[in-house]
Amino acid sequence: MKKRVTGIGGLFFKTKDPKASKDWYKKHLGFNTDDYGCTFWWKDKEGKDCSTQWSPFAEDTKYYEPSKKDFMFNYRVENLKELLATLKEEGVTIVGEMEEYDYGKFGWILDNDGNKIELWEPIDSAFQ
């Protein structure tokens, strides 16, 4: 079986005041925050640079829809286009269309509990 998820790409959550959350985590837990939250850098088992994003979103964000949850997970994947086709064949709900940026490809699905899951085929070198 081909690889599907290779790691956690991001942890996204709703908050009343994203700036206050970023400031709190910076002060108390030492997060190196920016406009998007905090990027954690690590190396995979082959020694390649990888990142995981931590991001507070405004509580009225529509980004997690159609999920009604206050969070969304982002998983790092390989071969996103192929994976989305396989998931569709398996009966998984695909949300929207795949999007491509200079830092990677994104696709969205719903899990069995209706949580929106973001799938990311990253280009980590775009951040360095």
Side-chain angles (χ1 to χ4, degrees):
M1 177 190 292
K2 291 189 177 199
K3 285 185 182 179
R4 293 188 183 203
V5 170
T6 61
I8 296 174
L11 306 169
F12 308 133
F13 62 96
K14 293 180 182 181
T15 179
K16 290 180 181 181
D17 187 343
K19 183 183 180 323
S21 291
K22 288 184 273 186
D23 291 346
W24 189 94
Y25 278 82
K26 183 175 188 167
K27 178 179 179 180
H28 298 290
L29 296 180
F31 281 30
N32 184 19
T33 58
D34 59 22
D35 289 344
Y36 301 103
C38 180
T39 304
F40 293 92
W41 288 97
W42 49 277
K43 295 197 182 285
D44 66 13
K45 64 183 179 180
E46 285 88 32
K48 296 177 190 165
D49 288 332
C50 300
S51 65
T52 298
Q53 183 67 33
W54 172 92
S55 295
F57 279 69
E59 63 185 350
D60 62 351
T61 186
K62 305 289 186 220
Y63 194 61
Y64 306 168
E65 290 184 357
S67 175
K68 301 297 182 203
K69 301 292 175 84
D70 289 338
F71 60 87
M72 183 176 71
F73 299 121
N74 168 299
Y75 295 111
R76 299 169 60 90
V77 302
E78 291 185 358
N79 303 308
L80 178 61
K81 187 175 182 178
E82 183 179 309
L83 177 57
L84 288 172
T86 299
L87 292 171
K88 187 174 184 175
E89 288 174 9
E90 294 173 352
V92 174
T93 300
I94 309 297
V95 178
E97 299 294 323
M98 186 179 80
E99 296 180 14
E100 213 167 327
Y101 300 91
D102 60 350
Y103 48 90
K105 298 175 186 169
F106 292 85
W108 299 268
I109 61 172
L110 294 179
D111 73 7
N112 61 309
D113 288 321
N115 298 313
K116 187 175 181 183
I117 304 295
E118 185 169 69
L119 302 174
W120 175 38
E121 182 182 328
I123 301 173
D124 290 301
S125 60
F127 298 104
Q128 299 174 346

